[in-house]
Amino acid sequence: IMYNLPQMERGVSKVIGGDPKGNNFLYTNGKCVIIRNIENPAIADIYTEHAHQVTVAKYAPSGFYIASGDASGKIRIWDTTQKEHLLKYEYTPISGKIKDIAWTEDSKRIAVVGDGREKFGAVFLWDSGSSVGEVSGHSKLINSVDIRQKRPYRLATASDDTCGSFFEGPPFKFKFTLRDHSQFVNCVRFSPDGSRFVTAGADGQIFIYDGTNGERVCSLGGEKAHKGGIYAVSWSPDSSQLISASGDKTVKLWDVGAGTAVTTFNMGTDVLDQQLGCLWQKDHLLSISLSGYINYLDKNNPDRPIRTVKGHSKSIQCLTVHKNEGRSYIYSGSHDGHINILCDLSGNDCFSGKGHSNQVSKMVVDEANELVTCSMDDTLRYTNINKKEYSASDLVKMDFQPKSVSAATGGLSLAVCIGQIVLLKDKKKVFTLDNLDYEAEVGVIHPGGTTAAVGGTDGKIRLYAIQGTTLKDEGKTIEAKGPITDMAYSNDGAYLAAIDEKKVATVYSVADGHSVKQEFYGHHAKPVTLAWSPDNEHFATGGMDMMVYIWTVADADQRIKLPDSHRLHHVSGLAWIDEHTLVTASHDASIKQWTITY
């Protein structure tokens, strides 16, 4: 229901692949390739078979296959027509990170460039891997490659050595060097009709060349096309115009014949508004910001995109759900401090203003309709979910890094920090426990607000009485099987569930003095997140084994296993929308929704 955005890096181009039929576009994040419908980006598919970070993916001109390349130099060519995305061929043409891929128009040959140890590029037959020429002529890594989509074939490259190169073939042979740029050359692209190709560089310049003989025709925009480095260019389908994406936080639309900019799209003023990728497909003009946001540009209103696809570009660490006026809102917090809001599975949004500056570790909604979050930036934040904006006054600075936060009635919240437990009331610290003789990992307040349970790495759960604004240690301890990783009280307060590093989930009965009611076995690796169903009879656990289980309190043998919930990524967050609807989040930065029937 929510897919990760492109994974971005400052000063590094992002290649966005287009579908020859014009329906989809492609990008990468972590070990995943994401295919999204261009008309409705909520329709998406995800390919997760790479073992290393995927850097680029491109459709074959036939539309039947996608070639994707990763940081280890591996290329996988896989089927697009079936849900299973069966692997057709796999090659390792260079010995380092792949930066770009290009196909010939008959879908039979592939050129690959990047950062290799003995060479920076290769061109080969798609079905055998045999070489059909040499990609030579550069002294540093090659950033970009393209092949003319008409015969006679031509191939061009762009490199960090400030040069481009021009090749004829097949078999492809180096013809000459293009020495017009003064800094890294980031992108090279042939026009769809093959009459021209373009290079764009970190020097802010764009040069146009003849597509057949490689001779320079002109530069765009006089002395400089952009005030900052240019990371990507994309041609219009009719080859008369192109768009360019720049670190100067603009995208420009060029009339290539006249050499002038028709439109300048101003994308913002923040460093995250730098433009690192673009794609012109049919009538859609897309650009990618450093934030990972995907912008649909509007020629008629250059200062306001038609739509911006938001979400997470870094792994999701935590998740919670809140119902408001009949609509369900899913809040997710990520590794970089970003909090995303997903309403009724449709629109993505986020809080405005300045939020957490580091990983959001845990989140919960309190009774005052505030999202309470704790972060590695050593703060707790209370954010009004109706206003959707961060407020500086609702920030509580902690003495130590908080790992866990819990909320209960009467304005109470409990923060477990490294070496410290803090009780807060109405957003103020009211009580602190220091000099603990154990390492506290996670804390939860009983829904009644009378007890706080704190789980430790020693495999014990300590129960503290909440008396007014103090935590009183009455020496009550319950045992688990191993170091506690997460805990939660059921919504009716009848049970406490805990999971531990020994892969066991334990449910304790509160009325019977927190005695053990049931133990649950099934995870193959450490479970890290737990959530109770609103029915108080079932709870879900997710772990490092990429598995999610739903357990029944009354019967340890009755369990539901979610198959392959987030392939190759462990589950980092769980929350229930209602008793039959579970939401899962993972380190692949995606969110999924499951319907559970018992």
Side-chain angles (χ1 to χ4, degrees):
I1 57 168
M2 190 181 92
Y3 291 86
N4 35 11
L5 294 173
Q7 185 171 350
M8 308 302 287
E9 205 180 318
R10 193 166 173 183
V12 179
S13 303
K14 188 71 184 180
V15 177
I16 307 299
D19 156 13
K21 296 186 176 64
N23 302 327
N24 301 320
F25 64 101
L26 283 175
Y27 59 81
T28 62
N29 182 316
K31 296 173 187 171
C32 307
V33 177
I34 295 98
I35 306 170
R36 295 186 90 146
N37 181 296
I38 201 156
E39 299 286 346
N40 179 5
I43 301 171
D45 192 6
I46 191 160
Y47 178 79
T48 57
E49 302 295 321
H50 278 271
H52 298 89
Q53 183 186 350
V54 198
T55 44
V56 57
K58 289 273 190 78
Y59 272 95
S62 67
F64 298 139
Y65 292 97
I66 288 170
S68 50
D70 67 25
S72 73
K74 189 162 276 177
I75 285 274
R76 292 177 74 90
I77 301 166
W78 41 280
D79 186 298
T80 61
T81 59
Q82 286 148 11
K83 198 76 188 134
E84 289 74 52
H85 299 313
L86 297 172
L87 181 70
K88 185 80 173 164
Y89 301 110
E90 185 176 56
Y91 305 111
T92 310
I94 58 174
S95 58
K97 182 187 283 194
I98 290 172
K99 302 270 290 186
D100 203 4
I101 297 169
W103 293 77
T104 50
E105 44 79 38
D106 58 4
S107 302
K108 293 199 166 115
R109 301 168 191 80
I110 298 176
V112 169
V113 298
D115 192 6
R117 278 192 292 278
E118 58 290 323
K119 59 180 180 182
F120 302 117
V123 55
F124 53 89
L125 291 173
W126 88 294
D127 56 358
S128 66
S130 352
S131 173
V132 284
E134 210 169 82
V135 180
S136 56
H138 289 292
S139 57
K140 286 187 177 163
L141 69 93
I142 301 175
N143 291 310
S144 185
V145 63
D146 204 21
I147 296 173
R148 185 172 189 250
Q149 296 295 295
K150 292 259 184 313
R151 290 180 180 269
Y153 288 160
R154 300 289 183 262
L155 182 150
T157 54
S159 164
D160 268 9
D161 63 11
T162 77
C163 296
S165 292
F166 187 71
F167 302 78
E168 291 179 359
F172 290 96
K173 289 194 181 66
F174 171 80
K175 280 310 205 198
F176 51 82
T177 300
L178 311 168
R179 301 188 189 275
D180 296 305
H181 288 280
S182 58
Q183 289 183 43
F184 298 163
V185 194
N186 289 323
C187 188
V188 59
R189 292 291 178 255
F190 278 89
S191 59
D193 67 5
S195 66
R196 299 278 185 263
F197 71 92
V198 58
T199 61
D203 54 9
Q205 293 189 287
I206 298 176
F207 296 105
I208 305 287
Y209 301 86
D210 183 283
T212 314
N213 62 27
E215 286 173 13
R216 180 173 153 184
V217 175
C218 65
S219 65
L220 298 187
E223 198 176 318
K224 272 197 172 183
H226 280 274
K227 291 194 191 73
I230 303 166
Y231 292 101
V233 288
S234 186
W235 288 88
S236 63
D238 70 359
S239 301
S240 72
Q241 296 179 310
L242 59 84
I243 51 173
S244 55
S246 168
D248 68 7
K249 309 175 188 100
T250 70
V251 173
K252 290 189 181 181
L253 169 60
W254 300 91
D255 176 328
V256 176
T260 54
V262 180
T263 311
T264 299
F265 302 92
N266 294 300
M267 305 306 296
T269 53
D270 194 89
V271 66
L272 292 174
D273 297 320
Q274 292 184 352
Q275 301 300 299
L276 299 180
C278 60
L279 175 68
W280 190 324
Q281 186 157 290
K282 284 189 178 166
D283 301 330
H284 298 287
L285 279 65
L286 268 57
S287 76
I288 313 288
S289 304
L290 174 56
S291 60
Y293 291 176
I294 302 164
N295 313 296
Y296 283 66
L297 307 178
D298 187 346
K299 286 188 212 174
N300 302 319
N301 188 355
D303 293 338
R304 193 183 169 92
I306 297 165
R307 65 157 25 137
T308 300
V309 180
K310 299 179 179 181
H312 289 290
S313 57
K314 299 286 197 302
S315 62
I316 299 175
Q317 301 292 332
C318 54
L319 183 72
T320 193
V321 164
H322 180 65
K323 282 241 171 70
N324 196 0
E325 292 172 2
R327 303 177 79 177
S328 51
Y329 292 83
I330 300 167
Y331 296 89
S332 49
S334 81
H335 184 65
D336 57 359
H338 180 78
I339 294 174
N340 195 76
I341 309 163
L342 197 59
C343 172
D344 281 348
L345 320 183
S346 53
N348 267 318
D349 203 354
C350 47
F351 294 114
S352 58
K354 205 146 179 55
H356 286 297
S357 58
N358 202 333
Q359 175 177 317
V360 185
S361 308
K362 274 270 165 66
M363 50 171 54
V364 55
V365 176
D366 66 13
E367 59 179 13
N369 270 357
E370 290 164 322
L371 185 70
V372 189
T373 52
C374 71
S375 162
M376 283 187 175
D377 62 12
D378 298 353
T379 66
L380 252 57
R381 274 183 180 276
Y382 294 81
T383 308
N384 183 314
I385 55 184
N386 300 324
K387 285 203 193 127
K388 288 197 187 161
E389 65 178 318
Y390 296 113
S391 116
S393 60
D394 298 332
L395 169 91
V396 182
K397 278 196 132 21
M398 307 305 274
D399 304 328
F400 301 100
Q401 188 183 95
K403 296 196 270 193
S404 155
V405 67
S406 169
T409 77
L412 289 176
S413 29
L414 180 77
V416 170
C417 306
I418 294 171
Q420 194 181 62
I421 299 168
V422 183
L423 184 68
L424 300 98
K425 185 173 167 67
D426 301 331
K427 309 182 216 176
K428 304 263 184 298
K429 294 187 207 175
V430 291
F431 192 79
T432 303
L433 279 177
D434 287 299
N435 308 322
L436 305 173
D437 59 353
Y438 66 101
E439 191 184 331
E441 195 58 38
V442 55
V444 287
I445 305 180
H446 185 271
T450 52
T451 307
V454 179
T457 54
D458 58 358
K460 293 186 172 69
I461 298 168
R462 289 160 181 81
L463 301 173
Y464 298 91
I466 299 176
Q467 297 177 348
T469 55
T470 60
L471 288 174
K472 203 162 164 40
D473 185 355
E474 295 179 334
K476 280 195 198 154
T477 301
I478 49 182
E479 301 280 336
K481 294 285 189 239
I484 307 293
T485 57
D486 200 11
M487 292 192 307
Y489 277 105
S490 58
N491 306 319
D492 62 1
Y495 302 117
L496 172 69
I499 45 179
D500 62 50
E501 286 190 14
K502 292 273 192 267
K503 308 190 268 293
V504 184
T506 310
V507 168
Y508 304 89
S509 170
V510 173
D512 303 328
H514 284 78
S515 61
V516 174
K517 168 142 178 89
Q518 195 70 268
E519 289 172 351
F520 304 85
Y521 296 85
H523 280 288
H524 299 305
K526 173 167 91 170
V528 292
T529 178
L530 176 155
W532 278 95
S533 161
D535 67 10
N536 300 306
E537 292 167 19
H538 301 89
F539 66 99
T541 59
M544 303 284 241
D545 53 5
M546 301 160 223
M547 290 293 181
V548 172
Y549 287 99
I550 291 132
W551 310 94
T552 305
V553 173
D555 182 359
D557 298 327
Q558 191 191 330
R559 65 178 196 201
I560 296 172
K561 182 166 130 184
L562 299 192
D564 251 1
S565 60
H566 288 266
R567 200 177 147 71
L568 301 180
H569 294 86
H570 73 256
V571 178
S572 56
L574 297 170
W576 295 79
I577 287 180
D578 57 47
E579 45 209 57
H580 291 291
T581 316
L582 177 69
V583 180
T584 62
S586 100
H587 282 215
D588 65 7
S590 69
I591 292 177
K592 297 185 181 178
Q593 179 175 315
W594 308 78
T595 301
I596 313 293
T597 45
Y598 302 109

